[in-house]
Amino acid sequence: MSTRPSDWSPLTGGDPCPGDPSAWDAIVEFWAQRSRDIDGYREKLYQHTSIDAEGKTFGRLEGTFSDGAGMASLISYEFEKASDAARSWQRKLEDMQSRADEALRKAKAAKTAQDDAQIKADGLRAEAAKDKSPDPIIAVKLHGLFGGGGLEDEIADAQADIEAAQKVVDDIRGEYARESASAVGGYELASVEGIYKNTPRGNPFSKSVNVVDSLGIEEAQYLKMLESKASQSPEDLERYLEALTDLEADELREYFAGNPDAAKYPLLVSEEAVENAVVVKDWWAALDKEYRSALIDAAPGMIGNLNGISYGARDKANRWLLKRTMADSSLNAETQKILDDLFKSSIARPKEPHRYITSLDLSNLKKENEDKYSYNNVLASLSLGSLDDADKVSIVVPGMANNVSSMEDLVTAGLNTYNEQRFALKDHGDEDQNIAVNLWIGYETPPEVWVQAQYPDKLVTDVNLAREGGQKLADYVDGLNATKSDVAPTNQTCVDPEQYSDPFISIIAHSYGTTTTGEAMKLSETTVDNVVLYASAGVSESSVADSNVGDGWQVDRDEQGRQKIFYTDSMEDWTAPGGYAPGWIASAILPDYARRVIAQEFRFTPEFMKDAQRFQSTEGISADGQFFEDVDTHSLVGEAGDEGFAYADTVTSLYGNRAAMGYSDDLAKKFYEPWYFEQNFRGEPVMKRVTADDLVDGKVPADVMEKVKASQNTSEADLINLGEREG
């Protein structure tokens, strides 16, 4: 930063050339960057000046792209001229200030010499006044020999130097006025209207529909071309969305009515999940309520699955899409049943959290995607509670034999999860926080074992479905993070995905869903707060390695630097080993080429990940006598007497949801074990177990509880803190 002199004495008129030359660096670079930006767009336009198609329409379109490229060149030149003008003025200002500062330095030096000589002369005159006769020595000092060279000459010479410096500064002041006026004239940009007013085909940068009209191109044809390119980059996606908003509401409905696939199925986008979601989020925020409603009505499949759109709006779109699709009589009975089951699952009962259909992907109904197997014709996710309003979100990822038809069973697991998380929040004083449990069947899961024999590409022992599902889950997580993030809208062409990880998101995965989650955590651009794995069917070898090396999974770390990955299993679960045991057995007894037939990639239990922390799945009793069951099966829910991992009031569900809510310190807290000592008739201690049959109103009787406490050396401080669990 330039610091100009504030005191210009002995010169008059002040600073002749004020300003900070260094401040112009940013202005010079600003216009230079604008020129480079336009050059980049020009190159993109040139790429389209040779369209691989025939006909006059496309010839005119090529011409428009060529006009646009030419226009971009002219605009770039104007920006370049502005940059050059700013740079020229900066250099002239630096030169003028250098000369002015030198003149000031000389004037101040002359003034100092003049003042010194004047003080000496005044002293000599005072001394001479005391003498009765003239002192020749004083006269020489004042006037010099032969009338020159004394102090009076020094004073006069200094005054001459000051006047010379004043002339230099005055000349610079005039130069500054002339050059600044010239710089202003050179800095003025030509108007864009002035540049393109004589373009043969009009303004190539006006609204796309206006350009299309001027070319005689059918609007629908142009929009379909933009739609096909939307999957190439976030910029292409933005171009398509902006073209849609150029339409009136009636035109919008007409376009999608003529393009039913675009209305029914998700819009394909590029792999930059976060940047795409940010583009959509900013676009959606700029639309008014009426136009949003028109889009939901006209294109529910697109709006209901497009990351960046609020989940309340996506729910409206997906319910409308579901209703329309259920009315399609051409669907087979199995697909119709899946849709009916989804509809039933989407209706909340009294006192339950509201349910939202946050995605509904019907892409497998396309003829090109048919595989003669209707099991996964419909992919969907259902949220218990609002994703838009939730302070904490848990995504539940199920495993084998779960499709949208089993959504109602998954809802049971989701409600148990939701209620357990509410208890956790209450026990930690966070009951004012909102939560949502998102049941995600957004990928194709392996079917039942007997069905897999008919479809070798759907084996639970392979990771191919998990790998495909992992990419979808990663995109869903990135979209959720970007949509919920508090990061302000940006006009930058690139965004930093890491800054969109501020929402609190956890993943709770079960069985083959843990395999899918492992793949997703390698691929997502944003992070989740934690991952909870139930009854893992094995995490792929590459996912384990990714967790153990470098930055690890896309999961936040605790204060000790560990990735917040938690898992549990059950000794009574004989199903989960079927996912990872074949790889283990094959690696032990078969050569490499043969074992790859059985398992494309080996899978390992979560304990092989160095940061993964295990929590218990056995039963326990809280300090106030609440009894929590153990896990007796591989199922996510199970039933009374055969409880699964998300069954209500199990130790596993309690610990898992404490971890999911960010209270992982509770995993170190204990329960009383369900046993106690009692003396027999001989006075000998006999161990007795506490079972569900001993409970009274859901609790261990007080007298039995006293025996439990007396029999176990457990400090109250080591016990988990549980409050009232009613409601």
Side-chain angles (χ1 to χ4, degrees), residues 505-556:
I505 298 174
S506 63
I507 296 179
I508 301 174
H510 174 252
S511 188
Y512 193 79
T514 68
T515 314
T516 302
T517 297
E519 299 302 311
M521 291 297 94
K522 298 187 300 182
L523 300 170
S524 61
E525 299 175 17
T526 57
T527 62
V528 297
D529 189 85
N530 58 73
V531 171
V532 178
L533 307 175
Y534 292 150
S536 178
V539 180
S540 72
E541 190 174 4
S542 59
S543 292
V544 170
D546 197 73
S547 172
N548 290 336
V549 178
D551 293 334
W553 282 6
Q554 287 289 73
V555 182
D556 290 347

Side-chain angles (χ1 to χ4, degrees), residues 313-476:
R314 287 173 64 163
D315 174 65
K316 292 178 182 178
N318 288 324
R319 288 182 183 276
W320 173 225
L321 176 63
L322 178 60
K323 182 178 180 180
R324 282 170 43 167
T325 309
M326 289 173 65
D328 185 353
S329 59
S330 67
L331 298 176
N332 62 41
E334 186 172 1
T335 300
Q336 188 66 58
K337 181 181 182 305
I338 294 173
L339 294 171
D340 291 342
D341 289 340
L342 175 60
F343 175 75
K344 294 174 185 176
S345 301
S346 69
I347 307 301
R349 297 175 180 84
K351 297 184 179 181
E352 290 180 351
H354 187 76
R355 302 180 189 181
Y356 300 81
I357 304 176
T358 55
S359 67
L360 178 54
D361 183 356
L362 304 177
S363 299
N364 286 339
L365 294 178
K366 291 182 178 181
K367 287 187 177 181
E368 60 266 31
N369 293 337
E370 285 183 353
D371 61 2
K372 298 181 180 180
Y373 182 56
S374 301
Y375 172 80
N376 282 315
N377 271 356
V378 179
L379 303 176
S381 61
L382 186 70
S383 180
L384 312 182
S386 168
L387 293 183
D388 295 320
D389 299 332
D391 298 296
K392 295 181 177 180
V393 174
S394 295
I395 302 174
V396 177
V397 184
M400 186 183 80
N402 279 279
N403 72 345
V404 173
S405 257
S406 59
M407 184 68 85
E408 191 59 41
D409 291 335
L410 198 58
V411 165
T412 301
L415 288 172
N416 291 343
T417 298
Y418 184 94
N419 292 332
E420 192 61 60
Q421 291 182 357
R422 294 299 322 167
F423 292 140
L425 292 170
K426 183 179 179 182
D427 289 346
H428 284 269
D430 295 328
E431 59 266 33
D432 291 338
Q433 291 187 356
N434 294 318
I435 61 171
V437 176
N438 196 179
L439 311 173
W440 188 78
I441 310 183
Y443 79 112
E444 185 173 354
T445 63
E448 297 286 0
V449 174
W450 56 85
V451 179
Q452 294 178 34
Q454 305 172 50
Y455 298 93
D457 61 331
K458 304 181 189 299
L459 298 179
V460 72
T461 54
D462 282 347
V463 297
N464 59 324
L465 293 179
R467 199 146 281 162
E468 294 172 6
Q471 182 63 68
K472 292 181 178 180
L473 178 57
D475 291 344
Y476 191 81

Side-chain angles (χ1 to χ4, degrees), residues 182-218:
S182 176
V184 170
Y187 189 67
E188 185 176 345
L189 295 173
S191 71
V192 175
E193 288 291 337
I195 294 174
Y196 63 58
K197 66 180 180 180
N198 294 321
T199 303
R201 278 173 281 267
N203 174 12
F205 297 118
S206 64
K207 282 188 174 183
S208 55
V209 291
N210 294 338
V211 175
V212 169
D213 287 343
S214 70
L215 295 172
I217 300 174
E218 288 188 15

Side-chain angles (χ1 to χ4, degrees), residues 292-312:
R292 290 180 185 177
S293 296
L295 279 163
I296 289 172
D297 179 64
M302 169 185 152
I303 300 301
N305 295 281
L306 197 54
N307 289 329
I309 291 176
S310 68
Y311 291 91

